[in-house]
Amino acid sequence: MNSKRKIYPVFLPHAGCPFQCVYCNQHAVTASFSGQKPQPEDLAACFDSTFTPLLDQALAGAAPGEIAFYGGTFTALPVPTLKALLERVSPWVKEGVFTGIRFSTRPDCMSREVCALLEDYPVRTVELGVQSLSHEVLRESRRGYGVEVVERAAALVHDHGWQLGVQLMLGLPGDSRERFLASVGKALELRPHMMRLYPTLVLEGTLLAEWHRAGKFRPLTLDEAVEWCASAYDILLNARIPIARMGLHGDPELEKPGRILAGPYHPAFGYLVRVRRWRESIDRVLEGEGEPRHAGVLLLDVPKDQLSEVIGPRQSNLHHWREKYGLARVQVNGSPSISANGFQCRWVNRDSNSCGRAARNPL
Ligand code: SF4
């Protein structure tokens, strides 16, 4: 389940952040602003240069969507700055040009006071940069808050009737597959309306880069990150939680040489995760059916618009199934009658001419 609502993003890098988190360098991930911590006048200029074209787009009839403040800690901005930004965008929401205000912030920067201030504006969605719900990972990553702070922040968002987004990172210092998947499970208890999953990268200009250079931090490999994320994606699909994004947006700024020093970056990370989930999901069904080993042909019927995810890059999933089950051929058919994420498989055994069939109902 993907979240496809339109978002008009205004990036205000590190604006409001109480400190620079060990893994974060917003100047490396977006071209919208560069330099040191922005001053109020820089912020205004940065806002204007980004907001004006977005407004023009929305006025010209682009799809309706929320105006979003990303890249910093929105609710920790000085109150006059916060109010000034809200005042700038709110009239356009009231006019119906945007559907609401959205922002990302740290869980420990959501207080009753700031929520009372926000109540006067058409806020619709709050994205909490939770990153992990493991005490150990939060501590080793020096996030500066504990799990109970996240729970309080999520409760405040629900109490005000706003949509809750939860961002988690995988592969932070102290993380493990078990801790990450336990975090995903705990995140569901926060009752999010949508989630984002980001693998930890080693970016230039961060403390993590120093730890990496000193041999104190090892990022996940791309394969590990894809595998962890595929398991998380499966959990979220089953829980019917929309996933807004997996992996960082492939900004040209981020892809410049020297920006990413190490870590599981891939411009199509989300696609790789979906491909892996199909592989594992179909494996689970086939293994449960006693494995169609030495079958002649495996026939898979899958949703037509998910055909490329099932097949994978350079037919990687087809090669996997052929080798794993000793198949002569795997044929994948895109079927308009199968709902998203469902599939049917049939196979014909080579030796006995017997056949088998299995299906997984759409979620
Ligand atoms: S992770 Fe969030 S809070 Fe930390 S420095 Fe980056 S934008 Fe600021």
Side-chain angles (χ1 to χ4, degrees):
M1 196 181 291
N2 286 314
S3 171
K4 292 289 180 201
R5 281 192 306 178
K6 173 91 177 158
I7 293 175
Y8 293 87
V10 176
F11 285 94
L12 302 174
H14 293 293
C17 296
F19 55 88
Q20 185 184 352
C21 297
V22 301
Y23 52 81
C24 183
N25 182 354
Q26 292 291 334
H27 303 307
V29 301
T30 167
S32 60
F33 185 79
S34 61
Q36 298 306 306
K37 192 166 179 162
Q39 299 304 308
E41 59 277 15
D42 298 328
L43 209 60
C46 181
F47 171 81
D48 284 338
S49 65
T50 321
F51 179 64
T52 307
L54 292 177
L55 180 61
D56 289 346
Q57 248 184 60
L59 286 170
E66 292 171 0
I67 182 79
F69 293 98
Y70 286 151
T73 305
F74 189 64
T75 53
L77 283 166
V79 169
T81 312
L82 184 61
K83 280 187 171 174
L85 290 171
L86 291 164
E87 300 286 351
R88 284 291 305 276
V89 299
S90 293
W92 298 107
V93 177
K94 286 172 189 153
E95 286 290 316
V97 176
F98 300 111
T99 57
I101 298 171
R102 178 184 193 114
F103 60 82
S104 62
T105 197
R106 290 173 55 97
D108 55 349
C109 294
M110 282 298 283
S111 61
R112 289 199 180 284
E113 294 68 32
V114 85
C115 288
L117 184 157
L118 293 168
E119 270 175 2
D120 293 339
Y121 301 93
V123 170
R124 186 154 165 201
T125 306
V126 179
E127 296 195 34
L128 294 180
V130 171
Q131 320 314 18
S132 176
L133 285 156
S134 151
H135 292 287
E136 293 83 0
V137 175
L138 289 173
R139 194 182 56 243
E140 289 191 38
S141 302
R142 301 190 187 174
R143 283 291 287 167
Y145 54 81
V147 173
E148 61 296 337
V149 168
V150 177
E151 290 165 348
R152 271 204 301 276
L156 275 175
V157 175
H158 284 302
D159 288 350
H160 285 81
W162 300 320
Q163 298 270 300
L164 172 65
V166 169
Q167 303 178 8
L168 288 185
M169 292 180 67
L170 51 149
L172 282 168
D175 210 2
S176 65
R177 188 179 190 282
E178 291 65 34
R179 285 177 178 173
F180 170 62
L181 294 179
S183 277
V184 173
K186 281 189 192 165
L188 295 182
E189 293 170 18
L190 303 175
R191 297 181 291 120
H193 295 90
M194 68 92 190
M195 287 189 59
R196 296 176 187 271
L197 302 174
Y198 295 114
T200 306
L201 304 177
V202 180
L203 300 177
E204 59 139 353
T206 63
L207 197 52
L208 204 60
E210 288 176 30
W211 292 351
H212 181 249
R213 268 192 290 273
K216 294 182 196 160
F217 174 75
R218 179 187 78 81
L220 297 181
T221 63
L222 181 61
D223 195 59
E224 284 170 327
V226 167
E227 197 274 320
W228 292 21
C229 227
S231 298
Y233 181 45
D234 198 55
I235 293 170
L236 298 178
L237 275 180
N238 281 301
R240 298 179 181 277
I241 303 295
I243 296 137
R245 176 148 210 103
M246 294 185 284
L248 280 180
H249 180 67
D251 193 301
E253 200 68 17
L254 177 68
E255 293 176 352
K256 281 185 178 165
R259 293 288 161 92
I260 301 172
L261 304 180
Y265 176 73
H266 191 288
F269 183 79
Y271 169 69
L272 296 183
V273 172
R274 290 190 292 276
V275 168
R276 179 67 68 95
R277 194 201 70 89
W278 275 107
R279 177 191 297 189
E280 292 176 359
S281 175
I282 289 173
D283 273 348
R284 272 198 300 277
V285 168
L286 293 178
E287 284 162 9
E289 295 296 316
E291 301 186 28
R293 288 204 182 277
H294 309 297
V297 184
L298 175 67
L299 302 166
L300 287 168
D301 293 318
V302 302
K304 203 169 180 189
D305 58 357
Q306 291 182 292
L307 203 53
S308 79
E309 294 174 4
V310 178
I311 292 171
R314 295 184 301 283
Q315 305 196 335
S316 59
N317 277 352
L318 304 192
H319 295 307
H320 164 83
W321 289 313
R322 268 205 300 270
E323 276 175 30
K324 184 172 171 87
Y325 303 110
L327 299 166
R329 188 160 63 89
V330 179
Q331 188 178 317
V332 186
N333 306 309
S335 163
S337 61
I338 296 189
S339 313
N341 300 306
F343 64 86
Q344 291 177 351
C345 47
R346 293 164 283 149
W347 58 90
V348 181
N349 289 334
R350 219 178 336 213
D351 42 5
S352 62
N353 255 356
S354 59
C355 54
R357 151 188 307 271
R360 177 163 172 178
N361 290 327
L363 295 161

